[in-house]
Structure formats: C-alpha cells, structure tokens
Amino acid sequence: MMSPMLSGVCLSLLAAPGLAFVGTPFIAQQVRHAPAPTSRSVTGSSRPRASTRMVATPDKVGTGVKRNENFAKLKAGYLFPGIAKRRNAYLEANPDCRPIISLGIGDTTQPIPPHILSGLVGGAKTLGTKEGYTGYGAEQGKADIREKISEKLYNGLIKPDEVFVSDGAKCDIGRLQMMFGSGVVSAVQDPSYPVYVDTSVMVGQTGEVNEETMQYDNIVYMPCKPSNDFFPDLKALPHADVIYFCSPNNPTGAVATREQLEALVAHANAKGSIVVFDAAYAPFIRTPGVPKSIFEIEGSRTCCIEVNSFSKYAGFTGARLGWTVIPNEVKFSDGTPVRNDFNRVMTTAFNGASNIVQSGGMTCLDDEGMAEIDTLMDYYLENAKILKEGIESCGFKSHGGKDAPYVYVDLEGKASWDVFSEILEKAQVVTIPGAGFGPGGEGFLRLSAFAPRESCVEAVERLRAVLA
Ligand code: PGU
C-alpha cells in the first residue's frame, strides 16, 4: 500500500500546474482534435500516428504502454531499499537522534586489503597504456581469471570454460531467470534471499500472491526452520524444475552438511531438477568437512549450477565481481547444454565484467590475496560471535553466526516488523525482519555482522539496554 507521505507527494505532483504532460483541459482537447500527424513526416510517409497517445489527458496520465502484469504481482518494493526508506524516515522525524547503527543489509564495511587493491589499481593503470589497453569482452570473463577460479577455488573440479565471470551473483541470478523463462517452477528455501522469488515473479513463473499464506502461487516453498535443522524435507516437496539453495544461508546462517547436500543432489538427479546453488558466503565456512561448493558433491555435475561472488570475500560489493559455474553435463530436457543458453544470455545481455575489477579478482586469488580474505572473514566472524552472544545475553535464542555472517534471532512468536520498528525507535539499530525473506521468516530477525567492530559492540550495549 502507498504510504500517506508518498501518496501525498504523488498527488501534489499530479496537481502541479506547470506539468504540461498532465495537461489542462484546453491542451488535452486541442490535442485530441488536432489533425492526425504522420509518423514519418520527414520522409513523406503517410502512415497515421496514434495522435493522442503521446499526451496524457487528465484522466489518463501514462503512456499507451501496457504495464508488465508480472510486476503488478510484486507485493512490495525490494526488501533492502524498503528498509533504507524506513531508516531515513526515522532519521527525518528524529534528526537529533544518536547515530544509527546498521546491522541491516549485508554490506561490507572494511577497506579492500592492500594486495587485492594492488590488482584493482594495476588494472586501472594498464588501461592507460598502449600495450595494456583492452576494450569489450570477453563476455565470459578473461581466460586468466577463469583459469584461476577453476584452479584455486574448485581444485580443478571445474573446467575454466565452465566458469562465467560477471558483475555479481545477484545479477547472475537475474540472468539465469531470463534463461529459464516463464515455463519453469522454481523452489526456494523459506525464508530465503528475496531475489530468487522476486525474479521468478518478474519473469512470469508465478501466479498472484496468496494473501493468507503470503506465498506466490506456482512457487514451491521449502520450509527451513529450527525444527528441521533448516533443511527441507525433500521427499515431501511437490515437483520443482529449478531449486534455489543457499549455504551458508541468508538469512538463517544455517550451513548445510555434506550429507544434506548429497541428499539435495540425489533428489535433483532423481527428479530431473536443476539446483542453483548460491555459495556467496562460502569463505565464512571454518568447520572442517563442511563443503564450500556444491561441486564437492558427487553427482552434482549433471544437475547443479553455482553462483558466487567476490562481494563478501573481498569487500567487492561496490566494485562488483562474481561468477557462475555451469558444468557441460547439465542439460535441458531436449539435450541442449544449459551452458550454451547461458552463454547466449551473457553474450547478448551482458558485456563482460569490468576489466579493472577482473584484475582485482586475480589478486584476490593469489596466495597473498587469499590470506587477506581469510583475515577479513575472521574479522566479520568475530563480529558475528559478539552479536550472537550479545543477543543471547538479552534472553533470545539465536541460530547461525558460525560459519556465516548472519545471526538469526528467534523472537518467540513476536511479529518481526514490530520488533524491527521497536529496535529502530528505542535503540537506533537497524535490523532486518525475518518476514522480509518470506513467510517462513516471520518471528525471526536477521542481524548482519558486516558492521565495523565498534558498531557491533555498541549495538549489543544498546540492545541490552532495551531488550534485556
Ligand atoms: N547471494 C546471496 C545469498 C546474498 O545474500 C547476496 C547479497 C548476493 C547473492 C549478492 O551478491 P552480489 O555478488 O553482490 O550481487 N545479500 C545482501 C545484499 C542484498 C541485496 O540484494 O542488495 C543481503 O543483505 O542479503
């Protein structure tokens, strides 16, 4: 629903006298009765042009273009800008409040470490030389970084030509959806990173949202909660073509074990489904034996795609660099390799990741860069520990926060948007309500460990004062 403030703004815009496109009755009438101009008068063509569609009349304020009906199905704006809006509205209403601490969006805050940075700087400098200058492409990423990803992150389990380097995991999820199109059924963990559901809606895979369950028709929601160890009962699920699975998980912080991932891969192979495995938080895994990639699991090469990103590894949330792996053996039902169609998307609707940032990706994967990534991960994991212990000292149960940068707080039945507002108002701390990640997240709150250390420490003090 439009907020009163927003609707006020819209109404006053519509009423603004200087806006010719809305039109005074005189202008609107004049246009309606003007002789129909031709669409190509310069070349002398006499094809008639729809005369009144370009200028809106008072009761018709848009163009003549029909809105994509799938967008009308989306019930709210994207989660994170929505949270930012609430924070800004609070700040506007309380300009003298102490600085707000964000444990909200999972955005990195620590500077890019020196060795990794040298790659970015070097990449930029190379562009200023005659010999080093490069332009477009390759759309799949430079050969050297594809090789290095295959060697350093996948131990050779993946071939370089199965790696597509991109501007990030979120963008790749959108492009995978463009490739799958409207004719597939997607399954998501509930709760989950909202991009999987929202892009499924946008490309037309779903029906309307069911106002009672808050679930979209034609999406399979896989409940992930403490009682099932945040791993769905695969046997009980209706069929889905594409299964989005994220581990370490956003928002629950749950990390799937080898046995669980083996069950997932076996399920996908048996049912003919494709798993899109989101490993954006893989480097947070510290527990020995827990897989960091779905390609560590036998059988995955015939049914799995992995999306991944340097965003959280190296503080590249703004620099933008990610990758997607599609083994040659993953095929559509007609035998077409999925890789071929994704290549078609990447060459057509993408133009290759920034060559500057790919140089930064190369230094990430040097031994020195990998050590810097480890130090960054340790820093955020220590933050997660501080937040987890802090919120538990307030009397709450929590999940995650180990092998993952998110602490998932059990609100014991309280509505998550209410608790979000209460904490913002009383503690000036931004969190993310679990309900923002799907109906299965109701009753939980996500805390992000990506804030600076001192902010995490202070946030805990503030939360204790309010909640304990
Ligand atoms: N995959 C998962 C599971 C994520 O949580 C995020 C970011 C991404 C992918 C995005 O990776 P990029 O490579 O940077 O595109 N999640 C953050 C940011 C949210 C957003 O979408 O803006 C979060 O707070 O959940």
Side-chain angles (χ1 to χ4, degrees), residues 320-343:
R320 310 299 305 146
L321 194 68
W323 70 94
T324 287
V325 176
I326 309 185
N328 294 321
E329 293 93 312
V330 189
K331 296 191 176 137
F332 288 112
S333 57
D334 70 352
T336 307
V338 172
R339 193 190 159 281
N340 289 10
D341 282 0
F342 195 63
N343 189 55

Side-chain angles (χ1 to χ4, degrees), residues 2 18 89 101 179 210 221 241 266 310 321 337 361 370 439:
M2 201 183 276
I101 295 175
M179 176 189 72
N210 176 324
Y221 289 79
D241 301 298
F310 286 101
L321 194 68
M370 300 279 260

Side-chain angles (χ1 to χ4, degrees), residues 210-296:
N210 176 324
E211 299 285 353
E212 248 171 56
T213 61
M214 292 314 285
Q215 297 184 343
Y216 285 94
D217 286 341
N218 217 37
I219 281 199
V220 174
Y221 289 79
M222 309 188 291
C224 291
K225 39 194 179 187
S227 60
N228 64 3
D229 190 25
F230 296 101
F231 190 79
D233 178 2
L234 298 170
K235 285 191 198 84
L237 291 177
H239 178 74
D241 301 298
V242 182
I243 301 171
Y244 290 89
F245 197 93
C246 176
S247 178
N249 189 264
N250 175 13
T252 64
V255 186
T257 63
R258 180 171 295 277
E259 292 68 34
Q260 288 171 333
L261 294 180
E262 281 169 356
L264 178 68
V265 168
H267 173 84
N269 273 326
K271 301 285 176 186
S273 307
I274 292 176
V275 174
V276 174
F277 188 78
D278 190 335
Y281 300 102
F284 289 93
I285 295 174
R286 288 285 183 272
T287 303
V290 174
K292 292 187 175 176
S293 163
I294 196 67
F295 296 114
E296 292 179 38

